[in-house]
Structures are given as C-alpha cells and as structure tokens.
Amino acid sequence: MNLKHNYRQGFIPIILLVILVTLLIGSFFYLRQLNPWFLFDYIQYWSAGSLLLTHQNPYDPAAMLAVQETLGWTDPKPLIMWIPPWAAALGIPLALFDYSTSRTLWFFFQVAVLVYSAANLWNLYAGQQRSGKLVTIFSSILTGSVFWMLFFGQVSFLILLGMVGFLSLIQRQTFKSDFLAGMLAAFIAIKPQVVYLFWPALLIWTFTSRRWGIILGSLFALFGGGLFGSIFYPGLISGYWVAVRTNPPTAWFTPTIGYWLRHWLDFEQFWLQFLPLIPALIWVFFYTRHKRLCWQWKQELPLLTLVSLVTSAYTWTHDQVVFLLPFIYLAAVFFRANHRTMIYILVGGWLAINTLLFGGRFFFQEHYFAWLAPLMLILYLVAQRAASRITNQLLHDEVG
C-alpha cells in the first residue's frame, strides 16, 4: 500500500508538470502564429517605450498612432498606454528589441514570473508542505485570467509579483527589508486601481506599527520611476495629465459595478463609475482600524484584493490574475489540514469558474463578466470561514 501511495504521490505531479509545460508551449505557438505577433494591448507598451527612447511623449495619441501603424495597426485610433508616469519607463527595455522578438521575450517573462509567484505564495502559506504544491500551482496558472493576460500581453502579473515580494519581505521586520518591501509594493501601483485598497490599509497600519521604511521604500520607487522616465522625456508627468484631461477613458466597457451603474442609470454620468469606491474606502478604514493590533498581511491581503476588484472603477478580466493570491492561501490551508472535501470544492469550483471565463471571453465582451469578482469574493468568504475553523483546530492540536 505504501509503495502504491508513494508511486502515485510521485507520478501525479510529474503528469501535471508535463501537462502544464505542454499547454504553455501550445499557447505560445498559438499566439506566435498571429502576425505580427498579436497587435493588442502589448503594442501600447512597446510603442510607448519606442517614443521614450526617441525623447517623445508616450501619452501623445498622434505619436502613438504613428508608431503603431508601422507595426500593422489599422484602427484610426491608437491604443494609448494609461500606465502612470512612475511606471511609464517599463516600456523602455521592451522597445530595445524589434516588436516580434520583444513580444516573444515578454511571453516567457510573464510565464516565469507567474510560476515564481505561485511557488513563492505556496511557500509563504504552506511552509515545507509538499503535498498539493504542484496541484495548486498547476490549478492557479491554468486559468482564464492568466490565458487572457498572456493573450493580450498585459502587465497585470507584475501586480501579483509586487504582492508576493511585499509579503515575503515584510515578515523579516527590519528597516532594510521593510524598505525593500515598499519598493516591491510599488509594482502594485503599476495599475493602482486594481488593488487600490492596499494603499489606505498600508497607511493606517504604518501609523500604528511605526514601520516607516515601507512607505519610504514605496515613495523612493515611485519617485525614482517617474524621474527615470522624465530623463527620456522631461514632460512625462504633464503629458500624462493632459492625456487624462483631454481623452479620459469614459467609453470603456469594463466588468465592474461602476460600469453597470452608468449603464442602468445614465451612461453620461461618469462619476457613477467611482461610486462603489466610497463604501469600500469607508469599510477599509474601519476594518483596518479594528484589526490594527492583530493585523497580519498574509491573512488580510487576500481579502483586500478581492474587495478592491469588486469595487474598483476600472479593471479587466486579465487583471484578475491577482485572484491567485486568495486561491493559493486557501489551498495551502486545506492541503495542510488534508481536508479533501474542501480541496475538491475549492479546486473544482476555481477551475469551473475559470473555464467559464476562458470560453466565455470568445463570445462575450468584458462587461458581461462583472459577476466574476463578486462571486469570487462570496466563495472566498465562505471558504475562509472553513479555513479559519481548520486553522484553529490545527493550532489546538499542536498546543494539545
């Protein structure tokens, strides 16, 4: 029986690894056949980097269109990069290569960061637990949000990387590690609207804990990024401000509650897009204040992530790659407790929802997936209650 058990324990992860590698390679060649190497979201980063390298404004629609037309872009409107000035320089290393080579390197970089992030999240939450590690990593990466992020060449995976780095370093409780944690947290600000509740929670927690190194590290990274980009184009910040004022993203059909409020009430009332932020900000203030003396970032960041995605003014389904954080957190708890029923429910539900996202995006536009983030939040809260009971039981058993 033991030999059979050991055989299965060693053989199943190998099969999962082979399947994962095969699917990733298959996805790469599927995308690679698109000519020229797929002209969707990634083109904005490469174009912006090209403009910065020639000391031009990366937020100028006319300049962006001129670059994109050389790559085969046929739409009369360019794809504008809305990444804030502190992260605009991200496009510079991408534009050092021709578009096809850059897009290829970017794909493998995305995959490497995703695998690294998933593996490190498992280590953070499960420690030395090996059982379930490959299953969890496999399930977390082969999702609809990950596929569409790779498909569009989006930067959302860097937000996940920032959260992983922050959680890894903040546990060391030294000024140096706090400063580095703050620098890595700046990756979360690449798309500040995605996990926006992280920042007010961080401020409140910092005033309580007095660990100022984190704030200093974030400010250093954000100002440093903006300064580096301004070396290439001195008017970077003003260029971004002009673009936001003259060409605001009012017509985007996003999978958010704010979009549907505008759709149902009055689409011309742009402020309705931001209405869900008000109760969320009130909640995070009182929630963080209430738990300030027992705040644990490893346990609280998954919830902040989900509430942010539910109430954010602007997110896309590919931004939901950050769902990996709460999923791996719960998976680690259930695998450590060897709670097979909850493992099957969690992994099965996760894969079922992501299968709907993967297939549905071929037929429906983004805004029809506004149900996804609220559903994930509800499922998380239900599973988290079970995880809390299991964790308390494990602690009781250890003490006993």
Side-chain angles (χ1 to χ4, degrees):
M1 180 67 71
N2 289 335
L3 288 175
K4 182 178 179 181
H5 177 73
N6 291 336
Y7 173 78
R8 291 178 60 189
Q9 288 291 95
F11 188 64
I12 291 176
I14 293 174
I15 291 180
L16 292 177
L17 184 61
V18 170
I19 294 173
L20 176 61
V21 172
T22 302
L23 289 173
L24 289 174
I25 292 175
S27 297
F28 169 73
F29 281 106
Y30 167 73
L31 296 174
R32 187 68 177 84
Q33 71 178 342
L34 300 173
N35 187 30
W37 210 167
F38 208 43
L39 294 180
F40 266 101
D41 293 12
Y42 184 76
I43 195 175
Q44 63 184 292
Y45 311 130
W46 191 89
S47 302
S50 298
L51 290 175
L52 281 173
L53 286 173
T54 55
H55 308 291
Q56 298 182 67
N57 182 7
Y59 299 110
D60 179 14
M64 288 287 280
L65 181 60
V67 174
Q68 292 172 9
E69 285 179 338
T70 64
L71 299 173
W73 185 260
T74 57
D75 195 303
K77 293 183 179 180
L79 199 57
I80 301 296
M81 182 187 71
W82 291 105
I83 289 179
W86 53 75
L90 171 70
I92 292 177
L94 306 180
L96 293 176
F97 306 90
D98 66 86
Y99 185 82
S100 183
T101 301
S102 178
R103 184 70 174 86
T104 300
L105 293 173
W106 182 249
F107 176 88
F108 286 108
F109 179 60
Q110 287 177 300
V111 172
V113 170
L114 283 170
V115 173
Y116 171 84
S117 299
N120 275 271
L121 281 174
W122 176 267
N123 293 335
L124 276 169
Y125 287 113
Q128 300 301 315
Q129 172 84 15
R130 298 188 63 183
S131 176
K133 183 174 183 178
L134 275 181
V135 173
T136 301
I137 294 174
F138 177 86
S139 302
S140 64
I141 292 177
L142 292 182
T143 61
S145 57
V146 168
F147 174 84
W148 291 110
M149 186 204 67
L150 296 172
F151 188 74
F152 290 114
Q154 265 285 342
V155 297
S156 311
F157 69 103
L158 293 177
I159 302 173
L160 183 65
L161 178 64
M163 293 194 292
V164 173
F166 173 80
L167 290 176
S168 299
L169 289 167
I170 200 172
Q171 300 178 97
R172 301 179 185 178
Q173 300 187 20
T174 66
F175 181 83
K176 180 180 178 180
S177 60
D178 282 356
F179 190 85
L180 292 174
M183 289 185 65
L184 285 171
F187 279 112
I188 303 173
I190 288 177
K191 285 189 167 187
Q193 76 278 10
V194 175
V195 194
Y196 72 97
L197 291 177
F198 168 80
W199 299 105
L202 179 64
L203 284 174
I204 296 170
W205 176 80
T206 300
F207 276 101
T208 301
S209 64
R210 306 298 180 185
R211 291 171 64 175
W212 306 107
I214 300 172
I215 299 296
L216 291 175
S218 294
L219 291 174
F220 176 81
L222 295 174
F223 279 107
L227 181 62
F228 181 72
S230 297
I231 293 174
F232 292 87
Y233 181 71
L236 186 66
I237 296 175
S238 61
Y240 178 76
W241 179 244
V242 169
V244 170
R245 286 192 300 115
T246 58
N247 188 31
T250 57
W252 291 355
F253 287 19
T254 58
T256 59
I257 295 174
Y259 163 80
W260 283 104
L261 287 176
R262 291 176 63 196
H263 178 80
W264 289 326
L265 300 177
D266 185 351
F267 198 77
E268 298 303 319
Q269 300 300 317
F270 187 42
W271 62 272
L272 289 172
Q273 191 92 23
F274 301 88
L275 192 60
L277 275 70
I278 297 174
L281 289 169
I282 294 173
W283 168 80
V284 78
F285 174 78
F286 286 104
Y287 181 77
T288 310
R289 289 275 298 171
H290 174 69
K291 301 197 70 173
R292 65 187 183 278
L293 298 180
C294 59
W295 187 270
Q296 295 291 328
W297 278 105
K298 283 171 59 177
Q299 280 69 47
E300 304 300 343
L301 189 53
L303 181 60
L304 292 177
T305 300
L306 287 165
V307 177
S308 294
L309 285 167
V310 170
T311 58
S312 175
Y314 285 102
T315 61
W316 304 93
T317 51
H318 50 251
D319 294 328
Q320 293 170 352
V321 66
V322 296
F323 281 158
L324 269 68
L325 175 62
F327 170 73
I328 293 176
Y329 162 56
L330 292 174
V333 172
F334 296 141
F335 271 108
R336 288 185 67 187
N338 196 27
H339 200 300
R340 293 191 176 185
T341 300
M342 290 306 302
I343 291 170
Y344 293 147
I345 293 173
L346 176 69
V347 176
W350 169 262
L351 293 177
I353 292 172
N354 276 282
T355 299
L356 287 175
L357 172 59
F358 170 75
R361 280 291 287 113
F362 285 103
F363 305 101
F364 300 100
Q365 294 184 9
E366 284 271 352
H367 58 288
Y368 289 111
F369 292 89
W371 53 268
L372 186 57
L375 177 60
M376 285 291 194
L377 175 60
I378 293 171
L379 294 177
Y380 172 81
L381 292 174
V382 173
Q384 204 273 336
R385 289 191 65 179
S388 296
R389 291 195 298 269
I390 292 171
T391 301
N392 292 335
Q393 184 61 45
L394 288 174
L395 291 174
H396 180 268
D397 294 342
E398 290 177 1
V399 172

